[in-house]
Amino acid sequence: MNIQSPVKLGIVGLGRWAKVLTNAAQKSDKLQIIAGHSRSEEKRDAFTQQFGINTYGSLQEILAMPDIEGVIITVPNEQHFSIAKQIAEAGKHVYTEKPISNILADGLRMEMLQKKHNIIMTVGHSARLLKGIQMMKEHLDDGSLGKLAFIEANFSNERALELTPDTWRWYRDRAPGGPLSQLAIHMFDILHYLGGDVEGVSSIASKLSPVGAEVDDQSMSTIRFKNGVVGYVGSCWTSPGIFSTRVFAQAGLMHFELDFASWDEPENLHKSSSLYIQRGKDGYGLREDLKIFSGNMFQDELEIFADACRSGSATKLTAHDGNVAVAMVYAALKSVENNALMVSVDEVMSEASAEI
């Protein structure tokens, strides 16, 4: 689609992540952030000084601007629904950072806003836009790897060794499952993207950090897909970081790994990433390192949003995909409480729908 002029956007919540996204937006000719909102005067002033973008103390001032087509949400997770509802009621399209909501029922309510107000919602699961993940998807889709059989992923870091009672991740009600809700959700979305519709999740967890936080800090989840493929997601919160994904198929496998320390500088991620493909039963000796090109998944996701604003439709980073990722977290947490019982994602969705 050819966008003749940049899509003009507002942004709500002017903390660290708003700055990451605004940096990405300013590299694009498809979109332009022209207004920001925060209740904090200090954050408004700092944002304007850094980016030269006008900021406002009232969200309604931004929503009243006729040239703004969509609004980016970077407020805390529990506020996503209330902010998205105001934006949709004003007839503006919605981009929300992942997760779509920390409450699945609210995520489903947000998905319903699209039909009710004739708007499109995009959810910022940027990890699936990483160049290595995209290359895996291309090889699976073109059949060069053969039939997919198994996927494994791990996203870990040392967060639980640094937690203190004055940080929100310390508490079970704010960061349920620890790395399950904070890290594994990225990998759940990637597995859904690569593997297809998810049937169920089985999980175990434990607490090993010496700091005494309420949350579990280790988790292992097995995933069963409706097409028979199986998968695994691991997350350790007490070790040096890793972000890796591997797909196993009948004619080959691929492995992708990156240094998460470079996450906020996406143009440099390829410099500390690795991707290889291995084909055939004697493939270890034939393992081939693949070149990963520079990219910017934050710019990519915002341009997906800009395209959706102009076309009025969306097939990428959808609200449904965002809700599946949250439902997989819910299923994992329920499984942990029930001795690793396999929990149906469809049943979790139905239970949340019943609350609406």
Side-chain angles (χ1 to χ4, degrees):
M1 184 187 65
N2 181 26
I3 296 182
Q4 299 298 326
S5 59
V7 175
K8 291 183 170 58
L9 304 173
I11 189 165
V12 179
L14 302 180
R16 182 181 75 88
W17 205 249
K19 294 175 182 178
V20 170
L21 293 183
T22 303
N23 274 319
Q26 292 190 334
K27 295 177 173 67
S28 175
D29 59 4
K30 284 192 172 187
L31 60 120
Q32 181 182 10
I33 296 174
I34 65 169
H37 160 65
S38 171
R39 290 176 296 181
S40 165
E41 182 178 0
E42 181 180 356
K43 288 183 178 180
R44 294 197 305 270
D45 291 344
F47 190 82
T48 297
Q49 183 175 2
Q50 181 172 351
F51 296 106
I53 295 172
N54 291 332
T55 57
Y56 303 86
S58 165
L59 173 59
Q60 297 307 315
E61 290 181 82
I62 292 179
L63 297 181
M65 296 178 182
D67 51 345
I68 284 184
E69 299 177 52
V71 179
I72 299 165
I73 299 174
T74 64
V75 298
N77 300 337
E78 61 269 20
Q79 299 176 29
H80 284 188
F81 171 62
S82 61
I83 298 296
K85 185 172 182 290
Q86 295 177 65
I87 296 167
E89 287 173 345
K92 313 290 187 182
H93 301 290
V94 176
Y95 170 100
T96 181
E97 260 309 302
K98 53 73 47 190
I100 187 170
S101 174
N102 62 325
I103 300 171
L104 182 55
D106 280 350
L108 295 174
R109 290 184 181 98
M110 289 170 70
E111 188 174 346
M112 293 168 62
L113 291 172
Q114 297 177 107
K115 184 176 181 180
K116 183 175 181 180
H117 298 289
N118 193 31
I119 58 98
I120 297 298
M121 187 168 298
T122 298
V123 182
H125 275 286
S126 57
R128 66 162 65 189
L129 301 178
L130 289 162
K131 293 301 183 184
I133 300 299
Q134 290 290 302
M135 291 171 71
M136 284 182 168
K137 178 67 170 172
E138 290 167 6
H139 278 75
L140 289 170
D141 288 349
D142 68 18
S144 59
L145 288 180
K147 185 177 181 181
L148 180 65
F150 181 73
I151 313 174
E152 64 180 17
N154 192 298
F155 190 2
S156 297
N157 62 29
E158 68 288 347
R159 176 76 71 178
L161 298 175
E162 303 169 347
L163 293 176
T164 59
D166 61 345
T167 57
W168 62 270
R169 291 179 179 87
W170 178 279
Y171 301 98
R172 288 172 60 92
D173 61 337
R174 302 195 69 188
L180 251 180
S181 63
Q182 303 307 303
L183 300 183
I185 187 171
H186 288 280
M187 314 320 273
F188 287 155
D189 180 68
I190 286 174
L191 263 66
H192 176 219
Y193 176 59
L194 296 176
D197 291 336
V198 178
E199 181 177 314
V201 180
S202 171
S203 300
I204 58 175
S206 66
K207 187 186 302 184
L208 297 177
S209 173
V211 302
E214 293 181 359
V215 295
D216 289 329
D217 46 54
Q218 319 294 321
S219 72
M220 295 176 59
S221 300
T222 54
I223 291 89
R224 182 183 296 277
F225 296 85
K226 292 182 179 179
N227 58 13
V229 173
V230 293
Y232 154 81
V233 171
S235 193
C236 170
W237 238 6
T238 57
S239 78
I242 191 172
F243 184 106
S244 66
T245 304
R246 189 172 349 200
V247 295
F248 298 78
Q250 293 177 2
L253 64 86
M254 294 180 72
H255 176 91
F256 173 59
E257 188 171 321
L258 61 81
D259 177 10
F260 193 75
S262 301
W263 191 262
D264 286 8
E265 300 175 352
E267 296 94 339
N268 294 320
L269 273 174
H270 67 291
K271 298 177 182 178
S272 56
S273 299
S274 62
L275 176 68
Y276 68 74
I277 188 167
Q278 178 177 318
R279 298 182 176 91
K281 64 180 182 179
D282 299 319
Y284 191 86
L286 303 175
R287 185 176 289 184
E288 176 188 355
D289 291 326
L290 301 178
K291 182 175 182 179
I292 305 174
F293 294 95
S294 176
N296 188 327
M297 65 278 196
F298 306 133
Q299 181 179 337
D300 291 344
E301 64 186 352
L302 292 174
E303 290 185 348
I304 287 170
F305 179 48
D307 287 344
C309 288
R310 287 287 167 86
S311 69
S313 63
T315 58
K316 300 176 181 179
L317 302 180
T318 64
H320 171 72
D321 288 340
N323 279 320
V324 169
V326 176
M328 291 176 72
V329 172
Y330 269 51
L333 292 170
K334 187 174 182 179
S335 178
V336 168
E337 297 298 324
N338 288 276
N339 298 313
L341 176 74
M342 179 68 70
V343 176
S344 164
V345 171
D346 285 346
E347 289 182 7
V348 168
M349 286 281 203
S350 295
E351 290 171 2
S353 296
E355 299 177 26
I356 300 174

